[in-house]
Amino acid sequence: MVSSLGGAGARAAPPFAAAQGASDAHGIRFDDVSVAYGEQVVLESLTLAVKPGEIVALIGPSGSGKTTALRAVAGFVRPARGRIFIGTRDVTDLAPHARNIGMVVQNYALFPHMRAEENVAFGLRARGAAADLIRERVPECLRMVGMAQYARRYPRELSGGQQQRVAIARALAIRPQVLLLDEPLSALDAQIRRSMLDELAKLHRDLPSLTVLYVTHDQTEALTLADHIGIMRDGKLVAFGDAQSLYRNPPNRFAAEFLGRANLLPVARLATTAAGLARVAFGDVALTARNHHGLADGSDCLLCVRPHDIRLGAAAGGDNALSGTVKSVLWQGDLQSVELDVAGHALRLTCAPMHDVPEPGAALALSFSAVEATLVPESASRG
């Protein structure tokens, strides 16, 4: 990556941001939207609002309906039922070119016979923009994404990350009301992907009124960029919330397992205690966890604790205590991942690399704080 989106060349950002002022902000709204291909329903009764100026990420496994939702906003698929709004405007029946959206896809989709500046200008020319406007806006957008010095290069002369920057500049050149990102980083290698994540976050800070719908299968991208995250499964929205709350307090089993790695232990005999905590039984072991969802006493549910919240060693100060048998230890550079058998259930923890690595079969004491664990309904439906 040659420069940051917010680097020395990004001086065109303020005028662009001003042009996209708060009075012109537009959100996205799905109102009971369903999409079907023949008899197969691929998106079912999606109701969701993306507020003006925020980033919402849709994540889920392949076939979950997340890309279909984005394509419905773009106008590439037509809902069988429901309406789609951009701001207050119903765009359900509008052609894609009439929706004033910018879109970036995973394979860049640059025209190979056009230089970078010509690619960025394409949308403006297609809309009949004046030559003076094109001459002003193309360099502005290229500067914003740190690509001004590559304006005369063809796509084949650019790296994958540089091509994706040009694709983003092209999407922004038309001054879209909303920006749709369809797995825009999936074709990049890990190092460039991390850099682009930082730069997309910086871009949104420079353009705070730009509404973004971001589709990805990568949880790290969603947690890094999104104000809110929607988790899709089998064409349905099964969870939605701000990124931190959804990670710390997943509303159901699927959300806990899909958004970040989670240990889920079946527990029973729920009994409320003070300060929003609850006492539960994991087999013969009594544990305490947050009851964020207000599950009723006597419920069967799941105790969710993240691998990085589990510590090796005896419990202290009222922490929860468990014991387990080591199944495997995996070194991952700056951390180690330990898998244990705890009363017949797999449990994983991550920790700093250990000097004395335990062998498989070794017995270990484990602990975690009650406030680092939360109770989750067993149901996989939306919470």
Side-chain angles (χ1 to χ4, degrees), residues 231-233 236-240 245-260 262-264 292-293 295 301-304 306 374-383:
I231 302 177
M232 306 287 295
R233 182 186 189 189
K236 298 179 180 179
L237 184 69
V238 298
F240 184 80
S245 296
L246 206 57
Y247 181 81
R248 298 302 303 175
N249 304 300
N252 51 56
R253 172 193 282 270
F254 186 77
E257 291 176 329
F258 195 84
L259 185 63
N263 294 297
L264 296 173
H292 178 81
H293 299 296
L295 303 180
C301 52
L302 301 167
L303 184 147
C304 172
R306 302 291 180 179
T374 191
L375 299 178
V376 176
E378 176 66 44
S379 169
S381 63
R382 184 179 177 185

Side-chain angles (χ1 to χ4, degrees), residues 282-335:
F282 171 58
D284 296 330
V285 180
L287 301 172
T288 306
R290 291 179 295 111
N291 188 13
H292 178 81
H293 299 296
L295 303 180
D297 291 357
S299 301
D300 288 336
C301 52
L302 301 167
L303 184 147
C304 172
V305 58
R306 302 291 180 179
H308 57 82
D309 287 327
I310 302 175
R311 296 175 291 278
L312 293 173
D319 283 354
N320 293 305
L322 290 172
S323 60
T325 303
V326 175
K327 296 175 66 176
S328 65
V329 179
L330 179 63
W331 180 74
Q332 296 178 316
D334 59 348
L335 57 83

Side-chain angles (χ1 to χ4, degrees), residues 68-223:
T68 300
L70 183 140
R71 289 173 59 83
V73 177
F76 299 148
V77 296
R78 183 175 176 82
R81 187 183 70 216
R83 313 301 294 177
I84 298 171
F85 296 83
I86 295 178
T88 59
R89 187 170 58 132
D90 186 340
V91 299
T92 313
D93 300 319
L94 294 182
H97 69 269
R99 299 189 180 202
N100 195 23
I101 58 165
M103 188 168 182
V104 180
V105 297
Q106 58 183 298
N107 63 354
Y108 322 138
L110 299 179
F111 296 106
H113 63 288
M114 293 183 181
R115 301 179 191 272
E117 61 186 3
E118 295 169 326
N119 269 282
V120 174
F122 179 81
L124 292 168
R125 289 200 173 99
R127 286 162 171 77
D132 288 348
L133 179 64
I134 294 173
R135 282 194 296 269
E136 174 188 350
R137 196 170 293 174
V138 169
E140 174 186 330
C141 291
L142 285 171
R143 282 194 298 270
M144 184 174 293
V145 300
M147 289 296 292
Q149 64 269 50
Y150 298 98
R152 300 288 295 167
R153 291 196 182 182
Y154 290 99
R156 64 178 179 272
E157 299 172 324
L158 302 172
S159 69
Q162 290 169 339
Q163 290 183 55
Q164 197 62 300
R165 288 169 178 239
V166 173
I168 293 170
R170 181 176 61 185
L172 294 175
I174 64 170
R175 302 279 172 94
Q177 294 173 336
V178 300
L179 179 63
L180 308 179
L181 301 175
D182 186 8
E183 303 203 31
L185 309 184
S186 63
L188 305 177
D189 65 45
Q191 183 176 359
I192 296 176
R193 189 182 305 124
R194 287 191 294 269
S195 177
M196 284 293 293
L197 273 177
D198 293 339
E199 295 174 355
L200 283 171
K202 176 61 169 65
L203 176 66
H204 195 249
R205 289 194 295 271
D206 288 340
L207 303 175
S209 64
L210 183 66
T211 304
V212 180
L213 183 61
Y214 191 108
V215 165
T216 179
H217 65 277
D218 189 294
Q219 303 157 24
T220 300
E221 293 178 21
L223 289 169

